[in-house]
Amino acid sequence: MDIRVLKPADIPHVQSTNITNLPENYFMKYYLYHALSWPQLSYVAVDVSRPKKTPYDPPKIVGYVLAKMEEEPVNGIQHGHITSLSVMRTHRRLGLAEKLMRQSQRAMVEMFGAQYVSLHVRMSNIAALRLYRDTLGFEVEKVESKYYADGEDAYSMKMNLNPLREQLEADEDYADEGEEVGDVGKKEKKKEDGEQGKTKRKVKLGRGLGVGELVERNESSKA
Ligand SMILES: CC(C)(COP(=O)(O)OP(=O)(O)OC[C@H]1O[C@@H](n2cnc3c(N)ncnc32)[C@H](O)[C@@H]1OP(=O)(O)O)[C@@H](O)C(=O)NCCC(=O)NCCS
């Protein structure tokens, strides 16, 4: 079994898995919108045990999680949202849904600094409720009356992602590839330069200064 990021080419197969498992279905463009806007957040479980008959065999997608970031977060707090999750009957109780959810949550934290993740679930959906509340640690935030098209109420659930962030940061094996970038990188670079006594300053350049002045100078000894 392979759990990997959802690619646009998977969408028709994910859509067919969704139609098989859930009454909440979406247009193809809605899947594409997720895949193009937040390509790191949606995952598929692919059964790779089946030998390929031709090089053009479609992947056998047996589960998926479709996820997004909230576009207009209240109070500016970044958070993710699970749009849809399902696993084919033939592949249930193997831990696939849990793995798909954890992958997506990790990407929400790492890529978008999400503070929490939210979702809706039917009040009658015992399997999903057990997964969200007991296995993953979601909490019920409120009940949304007649949320579903057939009139069923939904639990609106939330999971705090800050413990996951702390766990990732504390993890010794948390890969640190390459040099730091952005503000952190700049701070480190300044420290290094400072230690060697060659702090660089911005030098004014321009025609008015003449050609002779258009040379980078070390001004650290000035003033
Ligand atoms: C809900 C669903 C996604 C779970 O997928 P799954 O891959 O079978 O789940 P996992 O194997 O990762 O289960 C993890 C835990 O969730 C709970 N769980 C999952 N299915 C359960 C069930 N039928 N009854 C009770 N608990 C269940 C268990 O605690 C389980 O841990 P355990 O197997 O060690 O006891 C799957 O049943 C499904 O696709 N259902 C139809 C679509 C759906 O309801 N999607 C959710 C919409 S909000």
Side-chain angles (χ1 to χ4, degrees), residues 6 28-29 42 61 76 81 85 87 96 113 130 149 153 166 190 203 214 216 218:
L6 177 149
M28 186 86 82
K29 64 182 179 186
S42 296
I61 289 174
H81 184 78
L85 165 80
V87 171
L96 291 179
R130 289 280 299 274
D153 298 347
E166 283 159 22
K190 266 192 202 154
V203 183
L214 292 175
E216 195 182 33
N218 184 351

Side-chain angles (χ1 to χ4, degrees), residues 121-154:
V121 55
R122 284 176 182 269
M123 287 176 80
S124 65
N125 193 342
I126 304 297
L129 264 171
R130 289 280 299 274
L131 166 72
Y132 298 142
R133 194 183 46 208
D134 304 339
T135 306
L136 294 167
F138 277 78
E139 284 171 5
V140 174
E141 195 195 14
K142 57 183 173 196
V143 173
E144 292 201 17
S145 178
K146 300 193 176 25
Y147 178 83
Y148 292 99
D150 58 8
E152 184 169 348
D153 298 347

